[in-house]
């Protein structure tokens, strides 16, 4: 039961458009939210959609994946094994500043008379464009158009345009195009989800220089010792340009252009920005800034040769391929279609060129959650990427594999064997200072292993599975075998895992959390199965694995036994799965006595108050039923859902997608649609009230999941893909595509039938509504939908300003 309202942006100002997010008027009221939802990023660098001319309250700067500052965490009371190193993403200089002076008046959106305003984030061109007309009191009228993109083809590059046209009158024009290090004035206002500011100078300038149209800044990050170089270069064309001078100081590079603006004259500035950083991991040798500067020079030289139009063409090409594989079409509902494409666009923006790095919880659209990587990627984002962009999915899993040594060290530190991945991190070290809702989430290991197994099954990438994948599975299985214990009673042997926190962060440090046990059991079983397969069929890989992990035969047998005897709490009287051993004995939360403004509870109640009640931040058993549906029958799923749904506040944005999927599965159409609407409009309607902090990337991944696994009816936990689609009545159709073992499967759900089409490869047997269907490449297979869904939710989100 979500304690939230869906109050969308007014459609008069943000009209629905299937392929773009559009803003037709600017108000300060929506500024912070639109900075997030119009943000551009390529997975390596990201820019919030701040207005070029600057605004006192905007969070500015370039968010670079992995560029962080760190510090020694000072715990008020120390204890052994507490996380030691705090890490937070820090903004690199902002290349999008253009200060425009006409007749010596500065353009400031908050006070200027602006007409014909339109800003557009186009999902096919990957460009953020803005067009507006500025009327000055003295009668001069200028049109300002701009464009920006974070290149998907060249990950270190930002390409921008800033064009001015004098429509009426004449006046001197000055444009100051800048690359500016913004003083870090962050203030977390007591919200633990936000990043803190610093009281030291974080970016220490090593060199700053201006050379004709190019300006270069080089920095070292004070404590993390990471290095950064960034540079801008310009191509300026136009009429009556009188001067162009470059400047550089420790925190600013700029090119100042002056011109005599006469009616009809134009000035067009193409600006490229390049960013290069050293490797994230502090143990590797730090690249000196002058080498990074050379790389910036090369990036800029290439960009100048390619030109803005060339970069735009590369961008469009990348996105054409992306949409070809990844688009989800929803017929008959433009608002939902727009929100779905917006979500998918933001996922690829967060992931595309993360190449060797993780995906921060907010992507690169805001510094909340400090740019940390969580389980969000493996459980919420990787399903989409695995099925549509397997190369990107593989990179993300390889990234986890590279963190294994840190995870091994952490396991030792907390008294276990194998590897324990950090709950939140940039460098690979645990960065969560609050262990109850951090380190105690031992399920992180099984989430990563789950993603490895799914990736391997869906893609058939044996090389990855038998190598990096196997190492992850072994080390994580080892961790669970060491963390848990066998208990012998008259009833037999059972394996228990105590002292852990499940996904629901409102119930911490418990015994036998059902989610953790179910996921750990799969982790242990998958590791055992894979090792057995390697031993029998891939001796080389098996020997390599032994060499890397010191694997012993007995331990593999222990994993098998632990998986088979894993304890799962069950309450026979209620017929439900308790979230953990004691959950059902906790006092019920007083939902009726808790007014809306007290949500999220974490901002209004001491954690202990929350922990002693039956109240959920996010889906826990319900998530386990989605990920391990083979362990539950339909009635059990329905009973569990009905028990936990009213207790789930949705204070985490990770909940709604999963609740929608399970509601779909049990045929609860109205709940499925209601939760889907919360999820799909999470940011566009600022459902959680914190879109200004950045895009909820996991919720965006959840949108794809609730469509494909929910309405699209996919189940992929068994050997075969099975489908049982059900279309909401306000949709005319739903089309989506999946890559299965290198072959593409298109699924078109119409009102009364589903059309499956396999595009290549050998025959594929799937299951449609319980019947097996053999798909042959190039042949359409039509299957009737027999179960009718009687839902009354035809409405879409109406604009409420
Ligand atoms: C959720 C976590 C999630 C994190 C980052 C928290 O509010 O409880 O499950 O990983 O946000 O999105």
């Amino acid at each position: 039961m979500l304690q939230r309202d869906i109050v969308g942006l007014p459609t008069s100002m943000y009209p629905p458009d299937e392929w773009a997010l559009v803003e037709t008027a600017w108000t300060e009221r929506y500024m912070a939210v639109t900075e997030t939802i119009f943000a551009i990023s390529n997975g390596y660098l990201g820019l919030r959609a701040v207005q070029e001319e600057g605004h006192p309250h905007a969070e500015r700067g370039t968010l670079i994946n992995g560029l962080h500052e760190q510090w020694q965490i000072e715990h008020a009371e120390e204890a052994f094994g507490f996380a030691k190193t705090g890490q937070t993403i820090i903004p690199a200089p902002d290349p999008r500043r253009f200060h425009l002076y006409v007749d010596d008046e500065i353009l400031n959106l908050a006070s200027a008379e602006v007409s014909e305003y339109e800003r557009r984030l186009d999902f096919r061109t990957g460009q953020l464009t803005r067009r507006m007309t500025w009327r000055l009191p003295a009668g001069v009228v200028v049109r300002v158009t701009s464009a920006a993109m974070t290149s998907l083809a060249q990950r270190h590059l930002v390409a921008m345009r800033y064009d001015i046209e004098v429509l009426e009158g004449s006046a001197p024009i000055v444009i100051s195009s800048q690359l500016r290090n913004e003083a870090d004035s962050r203030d977390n206002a007591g919200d633990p989800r936000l990043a803190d500011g610093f009281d030291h100078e974080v970016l220490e300038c090593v060199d700053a220089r201006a050379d004709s149209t190019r300006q270069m800044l080089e920095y070292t990050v004070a404590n993390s010792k990471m290095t950064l170089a960034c540079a801008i270069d310009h191509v300026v064309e136009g009429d009556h340009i009188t001067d162009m001078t470059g400047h550089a100081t420790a925190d600013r590079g700029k090119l100042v252009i002056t011109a005599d603006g006469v009616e009809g004259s134009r000035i067009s500035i193409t600006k490229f920005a390049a960013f290069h950083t050293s490797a994230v991991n502090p143990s590797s040798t730090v690249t000196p800034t002058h080498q990074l500067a050379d790389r910036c020079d090369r990036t800029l030289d290439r960009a100048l040769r390619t030109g803005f139009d060339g970069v735009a063409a590369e961008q469009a090409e990348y996105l054409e391929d992306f949409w070809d594989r990844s688009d989800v079409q929803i017929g008959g509902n433009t608002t939902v279609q727009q929100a779905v494409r917006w979500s998918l666009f933001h996922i690829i923006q967060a992931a595309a060129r993360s190449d060797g790095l993780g995906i921060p919880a907010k992507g690169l659209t805001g510094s909340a959650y400090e740019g940390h990587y969580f389980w969000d990627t493996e459980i919420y984002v990787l399903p989409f990427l695995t099925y549509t962009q397997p190369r990107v999915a593989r990179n993300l899993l390889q990234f986890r594999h590279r963190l294994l040594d840190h995870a091994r060290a952490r396991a030792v530190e907390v008294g276990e064997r194998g590897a324990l991945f950090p709950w939140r991190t940039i460098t690979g070290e645990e960065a969560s200072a609050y262990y109850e809702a951090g380190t105690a989430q031992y399920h992180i290991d099984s989430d990563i292993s789950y993603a490895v197994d799914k990736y391997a099954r869906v893609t058939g990438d044996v090389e990855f599975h038998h190598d990096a994948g196997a190492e992850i599975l072994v080390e994580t299985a080892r961790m669970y075998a060491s963390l848990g214990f066998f208990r012998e009673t008259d009833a037999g042997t059972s394996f228990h895992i105590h002292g852990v926190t499940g996904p629901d962060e409102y119930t911490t440090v418990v015994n036998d959390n059902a989610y953790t046990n179910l996921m750990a059991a799969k982790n242990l079983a998958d590791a055992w199965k894979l090792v057995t397969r390697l031993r029998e069929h891939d001796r080389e890989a098996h020997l390599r694995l032994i060499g890397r992990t010191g694997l012993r035969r007995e331990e593999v047998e222990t994993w098998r036994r632990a998986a088979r005897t894993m304890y799962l709490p069950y309450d026979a009287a209620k017929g439900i799965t308790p979230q953990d051993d004691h959950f059902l004995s906790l006092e019920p939360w007083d939902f009726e006595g808790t007014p809306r403004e007290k949500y999220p509870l974490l901002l209004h109640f001491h954690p202990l108050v929350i922990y002693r009640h039956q109240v959920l931040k996010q889906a826990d058993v319900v998530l386990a039923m989605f990920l391990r549906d083979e362990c539950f029958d339909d009635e059990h799923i329905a009973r569990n859902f009905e028990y936990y749904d009213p207790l789930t506040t949705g204070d985490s944005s990770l909940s709604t997608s999963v609740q929608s999927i399970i509601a779909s599965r049990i045929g609860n159409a109205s709940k499925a649609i209601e939760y889907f609407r919360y999820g799909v409009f999470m940011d566009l309607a600022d459902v959680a009230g914190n879109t200004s902090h950045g895009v909820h990337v996991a919720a965006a991944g959840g949108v794809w999941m609730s469509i494909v696994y929910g309405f699209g009816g996919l189940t992929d936990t068994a050997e075969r893909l099975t489908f049982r689609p059900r279309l909401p009545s306000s949709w005319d159709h739903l089309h989506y595509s999946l890559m299965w073992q290198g072959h593409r499967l298109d699924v078109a759900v119409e009102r009364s039938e589903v059309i499956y089409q396999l595009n290549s490869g050998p025959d594929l047997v799937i299951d449609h509504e319980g019947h097996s269907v053999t798909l042959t490449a190039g042949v359409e297979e039509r299957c009737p939908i027999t179960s009718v869904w009687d839902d009354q939710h035809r409405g879409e989100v109406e604009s409420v300003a």
Side-chain angles (χ1 to χ4, degrees):
M1 199 176 47
L2 217 73
Q3 310 290 342
R4 304 272 176 210
D5 297 316
I6 299 185
V7 181
L9 291 166
T11 45
S12 52
M13 282 169 65
Y14 300 89
D17 182 309
E18 291 200 348
W19 282 106
L21 186 66
V22 184
E23 178 183 64
T24 57
W26 184 82
T27 69
E28 208 154 345
R29 177 174 176 187
Y30 297 116
M31 182 186 75
V33 168
T34 55
E35 281 181 11
T36 294
I37 60 180
F38 284 85
I40 50 172
S41 157
N42 63 13
Y44 171 67
L45 48 83
L47 290 159
R48 287 174 61 79
V50 291
Q51 300 288 350
E52 283 92 331
E53 295 77 16
H55 193 281
H57 305 296
E59 180 186 341
R60 298 197 76 106
T62 307
L63 290 171
I64 300 188
N65 198 345
L67 181 71
H68 71 283
E69 177 58 311
Q70 63 189 44
W71 63 95
Q72 285 301 111
I73 302 176
E74 282 176 29
H75 297 276
E77 290 177 39
E78 266 297 344
F80 185 82
F82 275 11
K84 295 183 190 62
T85 318
Q87 308 152 28
T88 193
I89 194 166
I90 48 162
D94 175 17
R96 282 196 70 223
R97 265 187 194 267
F98 291 90
H99 289 185
L100 171 62
Y101 302 81
V102 175
D103 208 12
D104 288 336
E105 298 296 328
I106 186 164
L107 174 56
N108 176 348
L109 278 189
S111 52
E113 185 184 337
V114 164
S115 57
E116 286 190 275
Y117 175 96
E118 188 190 88
R119 195 152 61 141
R120 171 178 285 265
L121 177 62
D122 190 299
F123 311 146
R124 284 186 290 202
T125 64
Q127 290 190 39
L128 172 65
T129 53
R130 191 193 66 181
R131 178 191 166 90
M132 66 182 189
T133 305
W134 176 27
R135 182 175 292 274
L136 284 96
V140 183
V141 181
V142 291
R143 176 177 298 137
V144 185
T145 44
S146 67
M149 62 191 139
T150 43
S151 171
L152 292 159
Q154 305 182 45
R155 74 195 282 252
H156 299 276
L157 180 69
V158 184
M160 292 156 278
R161 288 285 296 264
Y162 196 79
D163 297 341
I164 293 131
E165 188 183 348
V166 182
L167 300 180
E168 286 174 35
S170 300
I173 294 178
V174 179
I175 304 151
S176 171
S177 164
Q178 307 188 357
L179 172 66
R180 183 151 136 179
N181 178 20
E182 307 290 330
D184 193 356
S185 56
R186 285 194 305 221
D187 174 10
N188 85 2
D191 185 335
R193 300 166 299 183
L194 294 182
D196 264 328
F198 287 99
D199 49 18
H200 65 273
E201 189 188 16
V202 177
L203 286 182
E204 293 169 352
C205 186
V206 177
D207 194 17
R209 55 187 184 277
D211 175 16
S212 172
T213 53
R214 185 171 295 189
Q215 290 77 42
M216 175 86 68
L217 303 175
E218 299 172 21
Y219 296 97
T220 299
V221 183
N223 297 336
S224 76
K225 303 292 176 219
M226 280 187 75
T227 47
L228 156 76
C230 47
I232 49 174
D233 205 341
H234 304 80
V235 179
V236 183
E237 289 160 333
D239 312 312
H240 313 295
I241 293 170
T242 51
D243 188 43
M244 265 198 312
T245 312
H247 307 260
T249 57
D251 61 8
R252 194 171 311 184
K254 66 180 175 184
L255 181 70
V256 180
I257 303 147
T258 56
D260 292 329
V262 294
E263 198 161 304
S265 65
R266 292 161 191 258
I267 301 165
S268 166
I269 303 169
T270 299
K271 178 178 184 180
F272 294 111
F275 293 82
H276 283 269
T277 44
S278 59
V280 171
N281 205 317
S283 58
S284 54
T285 325
V286 177
T287 317
T289 57
H290 68 85
Q291 282 183 19
L292 299 176
D294 290 346
R295 293 181 201 170
C296 286
D297 278 330
R298 289 197 288 273
T299 302
L300 290 177
D301 292 345
R302 196 178 328 117
L304 289 169
R305 284 196 301 275
T306 315
F308 184 89
D309 292 344
V311 177
E314 290 170 353
Q315 187 87 338
E317 199 182 321
Y318 187 104
L319 287 167
E320 190 180 341
D321 179 64
F322 168 73
W323 288 116
D324 178 47
R325 291 147 168 272
S326 315
D327 193 20
V328 170
Q329 290 170 28
I330 288 165
N333 197 324
T334 309
T335 314
V336 170
Q337 177 69 80
Q338 179 185 39
V340 168
R341 289 206 176 114
W342 177 89
S343 303
L344 304 184
F345 181 71
H346 267 287
I347 301 177
I348 201 62
Q349 289 215 110
R353 300 307 308 273
S354 56
D355 307 8
L357 297 161
I359 302 179
K362 301 287 177 192
L364 297 165
T365 65
S367 56
Y369 285 115
E370 303 188 286
H372 289 173
Y373 317 128
F374 291 78
W375 69 315
D376 303 32
T377 303
E378 283 77 13
I379 295 299
Y380 289 87
V381 180
L382 274 174
F384 167 67
L385 294 174
T386 298
Y387 273 113
T388 67
Q389 306 287 323
R391 188 185 52 76
V392 179
R394 187 186 213 268
N395 287 344
L396 287 158
L397 292 169
Q398 284 284 7
F399 161 71
R400 283 294 193 184
H401 178 250
R402 275 194 291 280
L403 297 188
L404 253 183
D405 280 342
H406 280 297
R408 286 183 175 112
R410 182 65 177 153
V412 171
E413 204 166 28
V414 297
E416 308 302 345
R417 290 198 301 280
L420 175 60
F421 284 97
W423 174 243
R424 52 190 294 172
T425 192
I426 294 177
T427 62
E429 288 177 80
E430 176 64 271
S432 171
Y434 188 62
Y435 76 84
E436 292 89 333
T439 300
Q441 295 200 49
Y442 286 86
H443 65 86
I444 179 81
D445 271 19
S446 62
D447 304 328
I448 294 169
S449 299
Y450 189 93
V452 166
D453 179 63
K454 175 170 288 196
Y455 170 81
R457 279 191 302 118
V458 171
T459 62
D461 183 348
V462 175
E463 188 197 319
F464 173 83
H465 196 208
H466 288 193
D467 196 73
E471 206 177 334
I472 292 177
L473 287 180
V474 161
E475 294 293 16
T476 49
R478 220 173 224 172
M479 195 285 294
Y480 286 116
S482 134
L483 177 67
F485 63 99
F486 289 99
R487 186 195 284 163
E488 311 289 344
T489 63
D490 292 347
T493 306
S494 49
F495 192 78
H496 298 258
I497 301 178
H498 284 184
V500 301
T501 298
D504 167 32
E505 295 184 353
Y506 283 176
T507 318
T508 62
V509 194
V510 296
N511 293 346
D512 288 319
N513 166 256
Y515 176 94
T516 307
N517 287 14
L518 276 163
M519 294 291 282
K522 177 167 163 56
N523 194 150
L524 290 157
D526 285 348
W528 160 70
K529 279 187 232 156
L530 181 57
V531 171
T532 309
R533 178 162 2 130
L534 297 189
R535 191 165 50 224
E536 287 164 9
H537 303 292
D538 190 346
R539 298 236 353 122
E540 248 179 60
H542 189 231
L543 289 176
R544 232 180 7 248
L545 188 62
I546 293 175
R548 287 196 200 145
T549 61
L551 185 67
R552 283 170 299 110
R553 199 162 182 147
E554 319 80 79
E555 59 179 335
V556 184
E557 281 312 308
T558 310
W559 303 342
R560 181 189 193 186
R561 211 171 129 239
R564 290 197 163 163
T565 59
M566 183 67 74
Y567 170 78
L568 191 63
Y570 184 70
D571 184 277
K574 291 190 167 63
I576 64 163
T577 307
Q579 189 168 301
D580 58 69
D581 242 6
H582 288 291
F583 186 80
L584 298 184
S585 63
L586 298 177
E587 188 183 345
W589 182 266
D590 178 13
F591 283 98
E592 292 211 336
T594 312
R596 280 273 170 112
E597 60 276 14
K598 292 280 188 191
Y599 293 91
L601 302 182
L602 65 98
L603 296 186
H604 302 277
F605 295 88
H606 191 282
L608 287 169
V609 175
I610 298 174
Y611 297 166
R612 42 178 98 91
H613 288 90
Q614 289 197 41
V615 59
L616 275 63
K617 182 177 181 190
Q618 63 207 93
D620 198 295
V621 170
V622 171
L623 178 58
M625 295 195 299
F626 164 54
L627 298 174
R628 300 239 37 212
D629 69 341
E630 72 279 17
C631 303
F632 299 87
D633 63 38
D634 287 354
E635 287 75 34
H636 192 173
I637 293 180
R639 286 194 304 273
N640 279 346
F641 181 77
E642 268 138 37
Y643 189 81
Y644 289 104
D645 184 52
L647 308 183
T648 309
T649 56
D651 281 355
S652 160
S653 67
L654 274 57
S655 244
T656 53
S657 53
V658 178
Q659 286 167 290
S660 174
I661 293 166
I662 296 297
S664 278
R665 218 154 269 186
I666 61 175
N668 188 337
S670 62
K671 285 260 177 208
I673 291 163
E674 184 190 346
Y675 283 124
F676 173 71
R677 291 172 73 231
Y678 281 122
V680 78
F681 294 114
M682 183 62 66
D683 285 319
L684 293 181
D686 198 7
V687 169
N690 62 356
T691 294
S692 57
H693 303 171
V695 168
H696 292 87
V697 175
V703 168
W704 186 86
M705 294 203 301
S706 44
I707 294 173
V708 171
Y709 289 104
F711 307 125
L714 170 69
T715 311
D716 58 3
T717 41
E719 275 299 300
R720 279 183 188 171
L721 293 178
T722 75
F723 296 85
R724 190 179 288 276
R726 278 191 264 214
L727 208 57
S729 62
S730 72
W731 300 2
D732 295 339
H733 61 254
L734 159 66
H735 295 180
Y736 61 90
S737 304
L738 306 172
M739 291 294 291
W740 178 256
Q741 315 237 332
H743 304 290
R744 176 178 168 151
L745 171 62
D746 290 328
V747 182
V749 186
E750 307 293 333
R751 192 125 299 286
S752 55
E753 62 174 2
V754 186
I755 306 157
Y756 298 96
Q757 176 151 10
L758 184 67
N759 287 357
S760 58
D763 284 3
L764 174 67
V765 182
I766 59 157
D767 184 299
H768 171 87
E769 291 195 355
H771 305 287
S772 56
V773 179
T774 304
L775 303 179
T776 301
V779 180
E780 273 187 8
E781 204 61 53
R782 291 172 178 267
C783 303
I785 296 180
T786 54
S787 49
V788 182
W789 223 5
D790 179 24
D791 74 86
Q792 296 306 312
H793 288 251
R794 298 194 58 91
E796 35 184 76
V797 172
E798 299 302 336
S799 63
V800 190

